[in-house]
Structures are given as structure tokens and as C-alpha cells.
Amino acid sequence: MLRSLRRRGLYLRLIGLIVLLAAMYIAFMTNKYYLLFITNLVFFAAIVLAWNIIGGYAGQLDLGTTGYMGVGAIVSSILSNNIGLHPLISIILGGLSSALLAGAIGFPMFRFGVREVWYALSTAAIVVILNNAVRLLIGPYEYYLRVRPIKTYDELYLATSIALVLVFLLNHAVNNSRLGYYLKAIREDELAAEAIGVDTRRYKLLALMIYAFIVGSLGYLYVVMIGYFYTYRFFDTGISVSIAILGIIGGLGSIEGCLVSAFLLRGVGEYLRTSLAHIIPGLHLLLYGAVLITLGVVEPEGIPGIARRFTTLLKTTKRPMGVVK
Amino acid sequence: MFEPTAFDLSAIGTGVVNGLVLGSLYALASLGLALIFGVLDIINFAHGDILMISSYIVYLVALSTGNPWIALLSSLALFALFGAGVYRGIIHYVLGKEPLIQIAITVGLGLILQNLALALFRAEPRALPSTLFPYPLSIGPLTLSANRVFVALVSIILCILVHYYSTRTKLGLASRAVAENREAAWLMGINVPLIYMATFTIGVLLTTTAAFLWMQIGPVDPYLGTIFGLLCWIIVALGGLGGVAGIIASGFIIGVLDSLGSIFLTPSGKYIPMYIAFILTIWFKPRGLFGRR
Amino acid sequence: MSTLLETRKLTKRFGGIIAVKEVDFKVEKGVIKGLIGPNGSGKTTLINCITGVHRPDEGRVFFESRDITGLPPHRAAKIGVARTWQIVRPFKKMTVLEAVMTSALIRVKDLSVARSEAVDVLKLLGFTEELMNRRGSDITLVQHKLVDLARAIVLKPKLLFIDEIAAGLRPVEVEGLIDLLRRVHRELDITIVVVEHLMTFIMKLSDEIAVMHEGQLIAEGSPEEVAKNPRVVEVYLGMRV
């Protein structure tokens, strides 16, 4: 990871991300409402980047995000709130329990070759089961967080930004490692990957568990952000689907593409949702739907595909006329 | 709908019968999805939302004209156009593409339909003020509404007609040939694009009919599509591809699990058994409980 | 010469159809062996059973005297059995170099070592630097076939199955391919099994030839012997040779 850090391109991107996060803070620090708004954007950008590992690199359409996030959130909140463990340790244990759950689900799933639409549906079904099972177990109440390690909105923004930077670095580390190459090969053609020696089951499971660990650990931040550690919002297939949508539009496996779709598209979407909800509810989802259909027809590779078209367009227009053989 | 305090036998009996009624409707609702998946090899995540939006159209026309049959006919006509239009405008572009792109584009369509409904009709559930056959019917020890019997009968008859369509009619046989081997069907002189568009439209029309029947027994809200979409995929997974009988059988299983679940479990818990059944089926019997292929 | 690969009474059924029937197939170390037969004679199924894509119903597979029956493909690849595909399986969103690097990374841990090994193999197969950095979606079918071959070669296998690589190539390209495969065989010391139904290609390239028909081996020997074999002539008369 350190070696890949030394690559100049990555330095620039990292600095760019930090500058962006700082600029957003400076622009909105005076208004609590907008500060929480951008914290939410940064948080979900981290979630989309985590999804990128299983969905973007490994190409598995996972719709279980809010399930893993919810399990991590509940475990870490109970550990820090009711048992009194240090929040950081609770976060790690919450992430680990998510990863374990993912392992327990992923092992049979990959063993029996569940893929494509069936993988997507299984993971969505698991979220529904978790949702109902948790409601049966602890009731439909919302539990408030009593112990609050993060006191102000500014601290919360800082913590969320650090989380995003960490997930960003982890994505780059995966991208420039054997694991990344193996996962991309699995995404492109599982049987061909297997035939060149990639243990496809093992690496899919590893990707799933890494993703579940990140999402599970981030669950605690979400709890701090919204204030309670259990709510129907934790196991929501709709949110899971919208995470996957942002990852797909971001161009599977493209870190910058995911950031653009998470900030820009989700930013516009959330703005529409919060400001126009009373006039036209669901406008942000109409926007996602329209973008999905347009991209699906015009540019299935999403944002990086558009960027590539744009650069080739620039190159071809720069070329002087009349020298084409 | 009702919550008996003691789990007596008649409650179970009523639950099972209600489940069979629901199940036959679920089977009909899933047939369109299975047809589109089987012949076009398209993963349609907008299926439930198409059913939801059809339900609204049936509701609106029935309410304004006061005649449910006009509602049925006019929504069938409208959704024939809708089906062909969606095929040509969207589905056509993702034929043979990676599953993920198909899922993405149909999720997009579903989102648009769902949130259009939300914007136009808001979230309150809407039900027809009167049903087709508002009187009870006694069969042996059980009392059922004639309405439900009607829904179940029509669903089953339509399922059988679809079976007849795909095994006896020229169009049905041609579409099965396309499903088996697209290139070979091309070479045999079958107009593959036409078959695709026809099959997609027929799939949508079956869904519209299911929506009409649903409006006779239940309410519609913008989220009806999410529930129906998952249920239909579960039924297709359980039934495997290719067989109408498999779809009917798994429709019954899910209908009964749904109905008994709402008696014995909380309204939120009722989905647990069917989702577990679904997951176990696709893990251990990926070709469905009754499946071929 | 020692035996590198041996199958004993290998059988594979699909439903009621027997695709491969009690095949005893042997490959000696250091040869280029041809495997021919009409379409649907079971050649690809035989390879699939050996490389772990299919699990054979009966019979055993031995590689370097070790029983490898039913080993999953990634394990087979790691112990030295590589293959290419009859219908190419490209990594469309990766560059040519990245695709071959993925394969190299199975043996070497370091990314830069893997990159230089992948570049070496691609150069051997005639790829220019510009071509190496193109994406899988932007190259021709012939180039795809060579990338497929490069992905297999960079594994440094002991045994390489090449499934119908010459189909659809122009005669000049076939000549070039024969020289190329000979170089791969000689310089990298890889035993090769070539599956093909293009007779001229396989006659020129192979040291020995096995013939399959309806799931069974019906003849084996040097190209001259096989060409004279009455059974083979009979089977191939129905085909455009």
C-alpha cells in the first residue's frame, strides 16, 4: 500500500480529494443544516467506494449494503453504549461482525455458484430477512445513542472525511494489487479467471468480507449522524439499491467515477429530495432512474465511459485537418 | 386483515384457502416475468412497478367510468402500447448485454414508474370502492367471497391459456424456438425481433391482467411494485424456467406462506419464511423446485 | 520420454448423451500433439474434463503420475495445465497488458515483475506497445486469440491445450501461427496439445496426432500414419477436409 502511495498520480488524487473535502467544509461550515448535508454526502461516498470493491471490482451486484451496515451499527452501538467499550474498538468489532455475517452468507452462495440476478436477489432478500428478524427481536422502536463520542457537527464532518479518505486509499491499494487484478478478471469472465489460476470463490468471498467490514464499521458513524442506533432506516433495500446504482453509474471499478456519482448525482438528488419533497416526493429517484436509462442506452460504462469519449473527442479535434491518411 | 387470538383449525383452513387465491394471482403475475426472462433473456427489475402502474390505471378508469370492464379493456389497450414502446425504447438496447446493465436499466425504469406514481397519487393506498362480486360463497365448511373465487379462477384459466399458447400456437412455439437457440431460429426464418417485441408485450399484458385482478381484492400504493417484483422473482426462482405448472405450484407455495405468515407472524415477520425458502432454493436447487433447464 | 498426462477410461455424459466415452489419452513430455475430429466429437469436452471445467463421470486423469481427477480449474492451472478457449473469453474492460499481467500474478507476487513478464510474452507474440495498452474491447478477434494464448503461456505451464486457434484465420496468418507455436514450444519448453479441425495446420505442426470420433479415440500416431488410416479417412470423408 505504501509503495502504491508513492505513485505520483495517487498523490495528486489524494491531495485533490482532501482539498475538495476542505473546500466543502469552508463553504458550508457556518450553516449546520448544510454541514450535515455534506457530511451525509461524504458518508455515502465512502459507502459507494466500499461497494465498489464487491460490485465494481469483483462485479457482484450486491444489494446487501444496508444489511451489513445495520448489523455493524447495532453491534458497535451496543458495545459502546451499553457495555462501555471504547468507540474505536466497538467500531472494529462491529465491522468484524458484519464481515463474519458476510462470510457466513457468502460461503454457501459462492460454493453453490449463485451469481448475477440470483446473487442480487439473494442479497436483497437477506436485507428483508434481517429487517424483519431484527424488528421481531427488538421491536420497532428507535434506540437513542446515549454515549456520544462525537459532540459537534464539525467533528462529525472531520470523522466522516477521514473515513472517506481511508476507504479511498484502500480502494487504490486494492486496485494496484494482485487482489484487484484477480477481482477484475472475475468480473470480466469468471471461468476464464478460474482457468488462469484465480481461485474465484476465495477472492469473491474476500472481496465480500472486506466490503462488509468497511460498511459495518461505517455503520457507527451513521448512528452518530442520525442519533439512534436502531431504526427501520438500517435495513432498507431501497437505499441498498441506490448505493448500487451510484456505483454502476460511477463505472464499475472506477474510483474517481464513483466519487463523482456519489457527490454530484447524489448531491443533486439529495438536494431535490430535501428541498422539493413536499411538492414532488421522489424527485431524486426520478432523476436516478432517468440517468440510469440514459446511460444504459447511450454509455453503459457510466461516468468513465463519458470521460473517455470526451477525451477522444478533444484529441480528434486537436489534430490538424488533412493529414489523415 | 384479521388476527384470530386462538390458532384454531378454521383459521388455518381459511388461511390456506386465502393463500391459494393469492397464490394463483401471484402465479399469473409472475408468468409475464418468466416469459420475458425465458425468451428474451432479459432481467426485468421493473416488473413489479409495471404491475403497480397498471393497477393505478385500472383504478382510475374504473373510478371515473364506474365500469370495471371498461377499465380492463382500456388498460389492456394502453399497456399494449406501453409494452411495445418500452421494448423499442429501452429493452431493445440491452438485449444480450451483461446482466448488470439490464438490471441497471430496468431498475431505472422501475424508479421512474414508482416515483411518478408517488408524485401523482402520493403514498396513500387506494382501493376500489366496490368489487365485482360482493357476496359470500359457501364451499363446504368454508366461506369465501365470490370475488376471491373469481380472481383465483380467472388466474388459473389464464395460466392454462398461456401454457396452451406456448405449446400449441405458432407464435408461442416460435418464441420457444428463439428461447432455445436464437441463431438457429433466425436461420429457420423466424423473425426474432418481432418475436421479442411480441413476447415482451404479451408479458406486460399478462401483468396488466394480474393488476386488474389485484384491484378486485387489494389496494394499490406506489410501493406495491417493490413487493410484487420481489415476490414474482421468488416465484420464478422456485418454479424454474419453462413450465407454467412449476410457476403455478410455486405461486401456491408463496401464496400460502404469505397468508399463513400474516396469521402466525407479525405483518413484518410474514416475509421471513418465503424469503428463506427463496434463498435456500436458489442456493441448493438453482434450477428451481420444479424446474427444467 | 516420460508421460506427462494420461487419462484412463475417461467418460463424460450430458443427460443422455455420452460426449466422451472411455477415452485413454496420453501425452508424452516435450511433444506437440494434435487432437482432431469432426465437430461434436468430444475434443473440447475432453479438454474440459482434464482442465477441471467439467468433472468427469468416470475414469481418472493423471498429470505427472499424480491423480488430478476433478481438480478445480484454478488448481489445475497452478500445477501446470493451461488452456485457451475455442470461443475467446476476453477481459474487455482491461487492457491487453493488464489481462496478461493478471495471469502472471498467479506465479509472481510483485506487480512490476509481472508486468515485465507479461510484456516479454506479448512481444514474443508480436504485440506492439501501442497494442498492449488497448482495451480488450478495442482489438480484433485474431488479437483476442493471441491474448488468450498469452494469458496461458505467461503461466509457464508444463502442458498447454490450444483449442481451435486457427479457425477463421487467413492462410498467411496460419503459417505465422505455426512458426509462433513452434517457438513457444521450443523456447519455453511447453508441451502442447493442439485441438483443431483444420487438417493442414495440424499436419504441419504436430509430432503425433490423435483422432476422436463420437466421443472415442479412433486412431493415434504420426501425421503420415493417421492420414493413411482407413477409419480416419472414412470419418473425414463426410467432412470438407
Side-chain angles (χ1 to χ4, degrees), chain A residues 61 108-109 112 114 116-118 121-122 125-126 128-129 132 136 245 248 278-280 282 285-286 289-290 292-293 300, chain B residues 43 45 99-101 103-105 107-109 111-112 115 119 122 233 237 266 268 272 275-276 278-279 282-284:
Chain A
L61 185 61
M109 214 156 31
F112 294 110
V114 176
E116 296 168 1
V117 60
W118 307 116
L121 288 167
S122 298
I126 283 162
V128 178
I129 291 175
N132 294 316
L136 281 181
I245 288 172
I248 293 169
H278 51 290
I279 310 168
I280 313 172
L285 293 172
L286 273 174
L292 270 179
I293 292 183
Chain B
I43 297 165
F45 267 37
L100 219 133
I101 297 300
I103 292 173
I105 208 165
V107 163
L109 175 63
L111 280 176
I112 287 186
N115 293 288
R122 302 293 147 140
W233 271 108
T266 60
S268 59
I272 296 180
Y275 282 103
I276 289 179
F278 163 67
I279 285 179
I282 53 176
W283 286 3
F284 297 105

